Amino acid sequence: MYKHVVGALLLASLGLAPATQAQTKPVAPKHTFALGDENFLLDGKPFQMISGELHYPRIPREAWRHRMKMAKAMGLNTIGTYVFWNVHEPEQGKYDFSGNNDIAAFVKIAQEEGLWVVLRPSPYVCAEWEFGGYPYWLQKDKSLVVRSKDPKYLAAYGLYLKAVAQQLAPLQVNHGGPVLMVQVENEYGFYASDKDYLALNRKMFVDAGFDGLLYTCDPGEKVKEGHLPGLLPAVNGWDDPRKVKQLVRTYHEGKGPYYIAEWYPAWFDWWGTPHHTVPASKYTPRLDSVLRAGMSINMYMFHGGTTRGFMNGANYKGEGTRYEPQTSSYDYDAPLDEAGNATPKFLSFRSVIEKYLPAGTKLPAVPAAKPTMRTPVINMAAATNLLSVLPKAIVSAQPQTFEDLNQDYGYVLYRTTLPGGRTGTLQLKDLRDYAVVLINGQRVATLDRRLEQDKTEITLPKGTVTLDILVENLGRLNFGPFLNQNRKGITEQVSFAGTEVKNWQHFRLPFNDISKVGKAPAGKAVATANGPVLRRGSFTVATPADTYFDMSQWGKGVVWLNGHNLGRYWEVGPQQTLYVPAEWLKKGTNEVVVLEILKPQQDKLVGLEKPILDVVKADGEARRTN
């Protein structure tokens, strides 16, 4: 007892409280944020949002604060972000708000850095993200319809929204947080025009706890279909002040304020097509005119980052168009590059923004580009034949989809046996999305949904033949009318020489934890020809710095660094490197794993000082696209 009293007195004399005593935290001041006739009103005074979009899952958590400091240095006072359902509820009822998924921490860091936040927790985000942000398990029920009044969809969505609100509703500006506005749905006018559905969305947001300012956003030509009377209609894609003001007034009781919720300084990339770049000079006059008119704006993207793992989406518009899976790099030719460094576009936009800041405001100096390094050549000699480390098989007469197998992303190996000594056409009806066909462990063909390939002529050797089909999910559609047709794998049937092939073994290969994928059993030889392979190597770093793994000599696959999935690579380009953040490197030994499905003999890897994002390879020849 005496020791406790003395200890308490000592702590008090030092101005400290004992650990067992409740700490009194300063209460964050509450603000008001409202709609004026022409302007947003922050604490009753006109406020012009100059915002930039950046997404927490696309940036290592350790780098969040750096990217926000860069936003401040360009003159931004606000950041925007989507909230990604499939990140936070990867399996139904199992929520994850930890690590890189800690959206509340992301928002709090923004507040610490003096930034306001516009939050976009719509269940559908598009964002060039897998399934537009929807979790894969919604596709298990073939009758469930997303973005609709389907009771099953609304029930799942409602539970998710409540879980998100527990994290974020207390961070709204009217509760002392930095969140100024919350978006209901996302570009719904592109999809449908059901005002009852939108009204249900609004009610669900309010019931979940989002009691601040709500708004909708739609491309200018679709505001009529996507706006909800009573909510501010934000405009995407348009930046003519006169047209934007006229449009908003038309659907908002003859008044403003005026918010361009997505202003595009460039565009994203997809595999096999040129890298998209737009010079700053094309956009600086337009940014100037918007800010001069007193309108608020959100740049999509201010910083794209990287879509790591298997979370890229894809586009498909229907008959006469092709399936377009997006690259892992989400560089976007944005003001901040993929690694978070200022670009010439950043400097041009900063010079425009400076003209419209409050009198006496001085922007922070632009931080220097982060150091980069070129690694020594990494020896990837340790190899494991993927077919030698397969998990337990799931057996059925018909080929099962990823969803049937309760698998979200990655690969599924389909296996069966056939009597040999024949030649015929192998057809995979409605393949989604990329298949490597192997006969007795050796590759004989590939099929690519991008190229509308679903069949190939093959010859079976004599005897009983093992047919393996390794199918990769290249990304579920994130946009358009086919969101409800997003099942993956072999989604119909397989036939050979006109006869349906049955009796399949399925091997689930989600690669969600590379540490759980085994190495080749002792003494078991690696396939020497052309089957898929896992290669491992290590390298030593004295001082971690950003680098870019050069994958231009490899074929197709995925890379892990110290357990982190860096994303996909594919020789078709335009992306030929994978960004390696310094934050994920260790001082000392670093481990690399590569899954290579086309060039198993490749066994060397090197890190470059600069990315290669603009080389498309056609017929085996590389050409620059810019």
Side-chain angles (χ1 to χ4, degrees), residues 291-312:
L291 297 183
R292 185 171 61 250
M295 297 165 56
S296 291
I297 192 169
N298 179 55
M299 299 175 191
Y300 191 103
M301 300 290 295
F302 162 66
H303 170 53
T306 310
T307 310
R308 295 182 177 84
F310 303 105
M311 300 309 289
N312 66 279

Side-chain angles (χ1 to χ4, degrees), residues 120 186-192 195 216-227 233-252 259-264 295 479:
R120 311 173 75 186
N186 184 51
E187 296 189 326
Y188 182 66
F190 254 140
Y191 190 77
K195 304 299 183 185
T216 60
C217 82
D218 289 279
E221 68 275 14
K222 292 294 183 180
V223 166
K224 178 180 179 181
E225 290 83 1
H227 89 289
V235 180
N236 291 357
W238 287 13
D239 57 10
D240 181 320
R242 182 188 59 81
K243 289 177 63 179
V244 170
K245 287 185 176 183
Q246 182 179 14
L247 182 68
V248 172
R249 287 170 181 158
T250 299
Y251 296 103
H252 197 236
Y259 179 45
I260 300 173
E262 292 188 11
W263 183 73
Y264 310 109
M295 297 165 56
F479 178 79

